[in-house]
Amino acid sequence: MERWALYHNLEYDSSEEKNPRLIFYNEKDEVVKTVPVEKMKAEEISSLLDSLGFYKRSQKGEEVPEEFQHFPLRPPRDEL
């Protein structure tokens, strides 16, 4: 799906067409969440990604601003 190519730090794997899902990884490449999307409309998936903080480019090839380079990953908290 070309639509998902505009989101930074997101890969869409169409090999699971019969059971499409979004898989979220942390900075260590560990799976932290899996969301089935077979019953979701494209607009619903876009809204979910937006709500989770994924940066969406306005066009393919657009540079991602520095402050969004590591989003939606949350920076580790300093231990007290």
Side-chain angles (χ1 to χ4, degrees):
M1 284 187 158
E2 191 67 30
R3 160 190 311 258
W4 313 125
L6 295 177
Y7 283 95
H8 178 63
N9 283 343
L10 177 75
E11 292 182 28
Y12 176 76
D13 181 2
S14 61
S15 66
E16 294 286 334
E17 280 299 324
K18 292 184 180 179
N19 186 24
R21 62 189 189 269
L22 294 175
I23 303 171
F24 299 97
Y25 299 89
N26 63 14
E27 64 275 1
K28 296 176 185 174
D29 284 332
E30 299 166 332
V31 175
V32 293
K33 186 174 188 174
T34 303
V35 178
V37 296
E38 73 257 11
K39 295 180 181 177
M40 294 177 75
K41 295 179 181 173
E43 294 79 23
E44 293 172 314
I45 296 170
S46 290
S47 292
L48 172 65
L49 295 172
D50 292 341
S51 74
L52 292 172
F54 280 86
Y55 180 81
K56 185 176 181 182
R57 298 171 183 94
S58 59
Q59 62 185 6
K60 195 170 182 174
E62 174 189 336
E63 288 292 320
V64 176
E66 183 64 33
E67 64 268 24
F68 293 104
Q69 286 295 318
H70 301 290
F71 272 43
L73 299 176
R74 304 292 184 243
R77 293 182 181 198
D78 292 334
E79 295 297 324
L80 297 177

